[in-house]
Amino acid sequence: MGKTIDIIKEKRSVSEEVKGRIKSFNRLKKMILKSLETGGKTIPEIAKETNEETHVITYHLMTLIRYGSIVTGELDDNDEYYSYEFKQKQ
Amino acid sequence: MTEKKEYDVLVLGGGISGSESALNLAKQGFKVILVEKDLSLGGKMIHLSKVFPTLDCSACITTPKVSETARHPNIDIYTFSEVRDIEKLNSGDFQVTLVQKPRYVTEDCTGCQLCEDKCPVVVNDQYQWDLVGRKAIYVPFSIANPRIAAIDIENCSLCGACEKVCPANSIDFSQVEMQTPIVVKTVIIAIGFNLFDPTLIPRYGFGKYKNVVTSMQMERQLVPTRPFNNVLRPKDGKMPDNIAYVLCAGSRDETVGNPICSQVCCMYSTKQAQLLMGALPMADVTVYYLHIRAFGKGFCEFYQQAKGMGVEFIKGKIGLITEKENGNLLLRYEDIESGNIKEAEHDLVVL
């Protein structure tokens, strides 16, 4: 199959909502990854550092885990929060 | 419109009922067309953790059934398709227009998911009930059948990255909706059910309080392909240790148009409570109910088993749920046994 993207581009355009989604995900991804540069952290710790709501961090962090950027670390001493860290490159 | 096709039976819906119907008829020699609106067969059951009261693995029941359906020579399957205009002919047969929506990915797709890594758009994953994101190009879920990616064109950025990276050259943006006339002798409607929308009861706080979840969201948290790494609160990723179930949420309630009992929430909540006791051994699970309707074979024993495992059952009607600053939830309820109004704090509520 050849390049077919140009066919759909003639019929459709990208909505502002989709552009906004890409921007928002990239911004949060950058913030979460930057926060983890200094070591494993829990969701409330990342939220505090990034000044974002915890549920927003939960959603995006879990999405990043799904696509392989981050892995789950240890559970804290109170058995409440997991820490999350960069996936070690092989 | 293309050439007219003829079948003995049209089965509408590729869930467990539709697949079972199609398979039984095909085994008797009937030519069957199975039409599923979703991207995969399996319906709701393929997404469940276990079934009650046997606690058999739900996907282990559904997946072989779906595979057998997909491979049967007497069954033609159309996923991501719908029917329009069913019309009865003078012969007694039905004329149907089959509508196949474009998935923008051909059957050459190997399900390798390299395209997902490259796709820049993240949207709510409907198969994880919005608890986590998926990409605009995606394989619906790991045990999907067919295991072929699809492009969510409404959310596609039209960047073409998927087309560049696809090793099977299976991306095809030239696909368009196709309509095919078919004639069938009979129609089986197995279209399943819609889940109740809990935002219709604002006092339960679903949508407003992130730690109020639906039973389907909890179901997903209990399967091996769960959205999170464990059962966690969506608000802050905390492992819950005091979970409440609110039964009859959306049923036996004239105000939302469902005056009768759902006949299912008692037992799936009891099942989930048992599974939670296994997943989170330190957690307390409380079920607020009006009446326990354990009417099927082995159901009452299953309910007694949950009680024996330590699940607390309180005969109470929830009036209001409010959220505390730490994300915990205060449940104000009528204790039906004593007639008193009481309050209880939980860190996760399942409707």
Side-chain angles (χ1 to χ4, degrees), chain B residues 10 31 62 89 108 124 137 212 221 250 268 296 307 342:
Chain B
L10 161 67
K31 192 81 186 145
T62 321
L89 305 172
D108 295 333
N124 287 348
I137 184 165
V212 177
Q221 291 222 41
Y268 73 61
K307 284 215 277 195
K342 293 184 176 176

Side-chain angles (χ1 to χ4, degrees), chain B residues 49-303:
Chain B
S49 54
K50 311 258 179 172
V51 295
F52 58 76
T54 54
L55 294 184
D56 288 325
C57 161
S58 182
C60 307
I61 299 168
T62 321
T63 314
K65 186 80 69 192
V66 160
S67 300
E68 201 182 345
T69 307
R71 282 186 284 109
H72 202 287
N74 283 346
I75 305 175
D76 282 352
I77 293 174
Y78 291 86
T79 53
F80 207 41
S81 300
E82 291 175 6
V83 296
R84 276 183 207 148
D85 311 324
I86 298 185
E87 194 185 326
K88 192 163 186 177
L89 305 172
N90 289 336
S91 62
D93 294 347
F94 296 92
Q95 172 144 325
V96 177
T97 306
L98 173 70
V99 180
Q100 292 170 261
K101 290 180 277 181
R103 162 176 205 140
Y104 302 105
V105 180
T106 67
E107 288 184 357
D108 295 333
C109 173
T110 60
C112 70
Q113 295 178 287
L114 283 175
C115 52
E116 290 189 19
D117 289 338
K118 293 291 171 196
C119 180
V121 190
V122 169
V123 291
N124 287 348
D125 184 350
Q126 69 271 37
Y127 297 105
Q128 298 286 12
W129 298 87
D130 300 346
L131 289 172
V132 71
R134 63 152 169 86
K135 296 296 182 75
I137 184 165
Y138 62 112
V139 171
F141 47 92
S142 57
I143 51 173
N145 192 321
R147 198 172 189 281
I148 294 175
I151 294 173
D152 169 0
I153 203 69
E154 296 302 322
N155 285 303
C156 179
S157 67
L158 307 182
C159 67
C162 50
E163 195 169 18
K164 280 182 201 146
V165 78
C166 179
N169 279 331
S170 63
I171 308 296
D172 181 7
F173 282 103
S174 70
Q175 287 184 358
V176 290
E177 184 178 287
M178 278 176 42
Q179 295 196 9
T180 315
I182 55 167
V183 172
V184 297
K185 291 190 171 64
T186 190
V187 180
I188 292 179
I189 296 178
I191 52 175
F193 58 93
N194 286 328
L195 291 168
F196 175 71
D197 173 8
T199 58
L200 294 173
I201 309 180
R203 61 196 167 85
Y204 287 164
F206 179 79
K208 184 176 172 192
Y209 308 136
K210 300 293 175 193
N211 291 334
V212 177
V213 298
T214 64
S215 52
M216 207 55 188
Q217 288 177 318
M218 177 52 81
E219 196 74 34
R220 291 307 303 161
Q221 291 222 41
L222 290 165
V223 299
T225 51
R226 54 172 63 112
F228 306 156
N229 51 292
N230 199 343
V231 179
L232 300 176
R233 304 202 307 181
K235 187 180 172 80
D236 56 4
K238 178 178 175 279
M239 204 155 72
D241 60 13
N242 189 1
I243 302 157
Y245 274 83
V246 177
L247 302 197
C248 305
S251 59
R252 305 176 73 187
D253 188 343
E254 295 264 8
T255 64
V256 293
N258 292 327
I260 59 169
C261 170
S262 73
Q263 300 196 31
V264 73
C265 81
C266 286
M267 296 316 294
Y268 73 61
S269 301
T270 302
K271 175 200 75 178
Q272 289 189 0
Q274 289 196 24
L275 296 176
L276 277 167
M277 301 297 270
L280 307 170
M282 304 306 286
D284 295 320
V285 182
T286 308
V287 178
Y288 294 90
Y289 70 97
L290 298 180
H291 299 97
I292 291 294
R293 292 184 165 169
F295 54 85
K297 187 181 176 186
F299 287 11
C300 193
E301 291 86 342
F302 193 63
Y303 163 59

Side-chain angles (χ1 to χ4, degrees), chain A residues 1-5 9 12 14 18 21 43 54-55 58-59 62-63 66-67 72 80-82 84, chain B residues 116 123-125 133-135 154-155 157-158 163 169 171-173 228-230 234-236 238-239:
Chain A
M1 196 145 312
K3 206 175 162 198
T4 60
I5 187 69
K9 274 183 179 171
R12 301 185 65 94
V14 183
V18 171
R21 275 181 204 281
I43 287 171
T54 49
H55 72 89
T58 306
Y59 178 91
M62 294 303 163
T63 305
R66 178 179 188 171
Y67 290 105
T72 307
E80 287 186 337
Y81 293 98
Y82 284 93
Y84 299 93
Chain B
E116 290 189 19
V123 291
N124 287 348
D125 184 350
R134 63 152 169 86
K135 296 296 182 75
E154 296 302 322
N155 285 303
S157 67
L158 307 182
E163 195 169 18
N169 279 331
I171 308 296
D172 181 7
F173 282 103
F228 306 156
N229 51 292
N230 199 343
K235 187 180 172 80
D236 56 4
K238 178 178 175 279
M239 204 155 72

